[in-house]
Structure formats: structure tokens, C-alpha cells
Amino acid sequence: MIKLVNNDTHSVIYAKHGISWTCLFFGCLVPFIRADYKWMLVMFIANSFTHGFAIIIFAMIYNRIYVDSLLNQGYEIVTDEY
């Protein structure tokens, strides 16, 4: 788990790293729950065109995409806990 803190809003988010098993099993519902609507739409369209094969690729990279988007929003990594 990675702990990210936004110093402006004092909000804390815990994000996982590595393979997103929830993304593999639940597909584009994961970005929807995380309020990451841009990637939800990208995943939905990619899965539609590849008949579900793209979800395997997104399962391998989505957690990194999510952490990168949080870092771009002003969050900072506080700890990297395993």
C-alpha cells in the first residue's frame, strides 16, 4: 500500500501497487468507484473493441496509472508500506 497525502486539502488516500486484481475481475467499475471517469471511459471503449482482452492489459497497469494521476493532482507519497 502507498499512502498519499494532499497537503492543501489534508486528504489521505491509500493506493495499491502492482497488478490490479479488482480491475481484472470487475473491469471498468474500479475507475468508476475511484471517481476516475476518464480511465473508466477509456477502459470501456478499449474492452468494447477488443472483446474483453484489454482488461488483462489494464489490470497490469491501472494501479500505476491511478497513482500517477493522484500525484498530478497534488498528492505526495508519504510511505510505501507492504
Side-chain angles (χ1 to χ4, degrees):
M1 293 288 268
I2 299 171
K3 182 179 178 182
L4 297 118
V5 176
N6 190 333
N7 292 327
D8 297 333
T9 62
H10 301 292
S11 60
V12 177
I13 293 180
Y14 291 94
K16 295 183 179 184
H17 54 85
I19 295 174
S20 176
W21 292 101
T22 54
C23 185
L24 181 65
F25 293 120
F26 299 110
C28 53
L29 288 177
V30 176
F32 178 73
I33 292 170
R34 294 180 180 179
D36 192 6
Y37 302 116
K38 177 181 77 170
W39 282 102
M40 179 193 71
L41 184 63
V42 169
M43 289 171 81
F44 180 76
I45 292 170
N47 285 328
S48 298
F49 284 116
T50 62
H51 302 290
F53 178 73
I55 200 65
I56 297 169
I57 304 301
F58 279 114
M60 293 180 199
I61 63 172
Y62 180 67
N63 280 341
R64 181 64 188 176
I65 291 169
Y66 181 62
V67 170
D68 286 343
S69 69
L70 289 175
L71 291 173
N72 289 335
Q73 293 175 12
Y75 285 85
E76 297 178 2
I77 296 176
V78 177
T79 60
D80 189 9
E81 304 168 356
Y82 289 93

